Amino acid sequence: MADSLKETTVPTSGGHGEIKEFDAIIIGSGVTGLYSLYRMRQLGFSVRAFDDASGVGGTWYWNRYPGCRFDSESYSYGYSFSEELLQEWDWKEHYSAQPETERYLNYVADKFDLRRDIQFNSRVVSATYNEVGSFWEICLADGSRSHGRFLITSVGSFSAGYVPDFEGIDSFRGTSCHTRAWPKEGVDLAGKRVGVIGTGATGVQLITEIAKEVAHLTVFQRTANYCAPLRNGLIDAETQKQIKASYPEIFRVCMETPGSFMHEPDKRSAMDVSQEERLEQYERLWTEPGFKKWLSNFYDVMVPGKANEDYAEFVRNKIRERVHDPVVAEMLVPKDHMFGSKRLPCESGYYEVYNQDNVLLVDVREAPIERITPNGIKTRDEEYELDVIIYATGFDAITGGLINLNITGQNGVRLKDKFADGPRTYMGITSAGFPNLFTVNAASVGNFVRAAESLIDWVGETMSYLRDNDFKRIAPTVEAEDAWVKHVNEDGANILRTQANSWFVGANIPGKARALLTSPDTAPAMRAKRAEVAANGYEGFILE
Ligand code: N01
């Protein structure tokens, strides 16, 4: 490794100009990419990040649709690595909106002088492992190439947007766009007839916001979701002081909870207390902000079974209370999946939107969308005339962003083919036959920044270990990978996240194999596993 510590430039024979060489190539400059860059540079590695965006932010760069904001507390989402940063940055709201989060990430990039190692407007179109030279060659859309001993994919879980293959989609004469690629200059919705397809976390945020300005809104819903009040608010000066003084405690709690959120679960079973006590807790938590009502509830609300169904009914009744028309209310009440089997959308007035005279809810499970027409959307029963169509139809989550990179490992094996029946990784972060590839985007779960910091620290330690011990490459054994895949599938079979048809299991993408895309383990268990593997001399890995 010592031979490649600093960036060098070598002439090429391929006619694409010079090839730049780095110790590590990072793809993406969102929350994980920025920290990867900071950390690897701090460890003395030469590094270059590539991003197809024109600025930093990743998810928070692309998803600039109206209403986009955190569902975790702003101060639990920020980086913890710099006390100075923690004390300098004032979060304005408990749940920050996209513009503030994007500003924060720009502030981080400037403060730590990260931009000089980021190449923007640079889409990676392929990444190929060179067996002889033991490096990754990435190729950009403009044909230029770079080499890195290590490849870190910080492309996020939600970078590959999904638009259903509706017939006639290009024939629409109005404006259409996907929430993931919301134009920087915005979309003029005032006074327009707008149709929104999709009622996931994105649709819920968007619909609530745009209902304030459009002339008419038609929401095309296939599956009703459980949504809970966010109860956002501004952070006053006194609270700001308290937050800044409490960072060690905030991060301590986040490190101990299953999903790295600042909400500790109640260790009691909902079924072990009286109905009165159970309801009292449900009601009390319902008045609290954010995910508390979900994650600080009785522990068995979070697993399939009686307690989960009991709480689901409580939430259904909360929805019914808020919607005036009982027929519309029933359309909005989820009945086909368990509470928490999809990530809980947090909302601020979502259900009240359906009490507006200019809002129409269309059930497209009952009457599916047949085609997009020049004038709007045609379902089995009716054609809806629209000026704007917004696709809030989600993402080819986690693996989609990876597959789009066209990664080819040893012996010409393509990651796309290897993952055809679901991800095949060891600990979510490495894959046999793909040496020195760290898929950090596929291994972060829950509160992404909290999970990502420790994950990237582990990657940095692993890279340093290789450098310090004169190893050129690391990749998991086939046996370790097989055992991990078996663990994910078997232990994942009974958790809530595999019980619904959602992105968690790839079920939202037609033709995608159904498989749990994340680890079934808690964040502390994942950290412990990685630490144990390293302490045992990288057990399950081949080091060469
Ligand atoms: O995507 P989704 P998302 N016809 O896949 C519908 C994170 N996030 O962008 O449920 C009609 O959840 C689809 O219907 P169905 C968060 O982790 C966080 O909303 O498949 N409808 C569904 O309603 C979240 O889980 C925040 O039946 C079609 C919607 O499109 C993840 O991102 C904010 C359809 C897609 O919902 C993804 O959320 C936003 C079709 N052919 C997102 N195809 C925060 O608050 C799809 N749909 C931080």
Side-chain angles (χ1 to χ4, degrees), residues 204-205 207-209 211-212 228-231 322 346-356:
V204 166
Q205 289 182 331
I207 289 162
T208 311
E209 202 54 35
K212 296 169 187 163
L230 178 64
R231 306 196 195 287
R322 290 169 62 184
C346 289
E347 49 80 33
S348 307
Y350 175 63
Y351 290 109
E352 284 70 19
V353 163
Y354 297 95
N355 296 331
Q356 289 181 210

Side-chain angles (χ1 to χ4, degrees), residues 33-202:
L34 289 179
Y35 184 59
S36 300
L37 178 49
Y38 171 84
R39 189 80 184 113
M40 301 319 154
R41 208 156 79 175
Q42 197 189 40
L43 290 169
F45 293 103
S46 67
V47 60
R48 171 66 52 93
F50 296 89
D51 199 312
D52 59 345
S54 64
V56 301
T59 292
W60 301 104
Y61 173 95
W62 293 106
N63 288 269
R64 47 184 79 239
Y65 61 84
C68 180
R69 68 170 63 247
F70 285 157
D71 53 13
S72 25
E73 291 67 23
S74 311
Y75 27 90
S76 77
Y77 193 94
Y79 295 112
S80 69
F81 66 83
S82 161
E83 182 59 25
E84 206 177 273
L85 172 66
L86 288 169
Q87 295 307 321
E88 270 172 21
W89 183 261
D90 289 345
W91 291 104
K92 304 276 180 296
E93 293 179 272
H94 286 277
Y95 302 90
S96 154
Q98 178 273 336
E100 189 186 1
T101 310
E102 192 187 12
R103 263 198 306 280
Y104 169 74
L105 293 170
N106 274 282
Y107 183 84
V108 171
D110 290 335
K111 179 172 175 66
F112 299 101
D113 190 20
L114 300 178
R115 282 179 216 281
R116 69 179 154 91
D117 289 324
I118 307 174
Q119 197 172 312
F120 295 109
N121 302 306
S122 300
R123 188 162 58 85
V124 174
V125 293
S126 68
T128 308
Y129 190 66
N130 184 306
E131 184 75 44
V132 179
S134 297
F135 60 79
W136 283 94
E137 176 171 289
I138 60 135
C139 185
L140 301 183
D142 68 2
S144 61
R145 291 176 288 161
S146 295
H147 292 172
R149 179 67 51 83
F150 298 97
L151 180 63
I152 301 172
T153 58
S154 299
V155 293
S157 297
F158 306 113
S159 51
Y162 165 65
V163 179
D165 189 15
F166 291 124
E167 209 185 312
I169 200 157
D170 294 328
S171 68
F172 182 56
R173 281 198 291 257
T175 303
S176 49
C177 79
H178 190 281
T179 46
R180 186 264 173 197
W182 201 262
K184 266 188 177 171
E185 62 281 10
V187 180
D188 182 14
L189 300 174
K192 299 273 167 60
R193 297 166 303 171
V194 178
V196 176
I197 306 175
T199 53
T202 300

Side-chain angles (χ1 to χ4, degrees), residues 69 164 198-202 205 222-223 342-343 392-395 503:
R69 68 170 63 247
T199 53
T202 300
Q205 289 182 331
R222 190 166 64 180
T223 308
K342 298 184 177 196
R343 185 153 165 157
T393 41
F395 301 87
W503 61 261

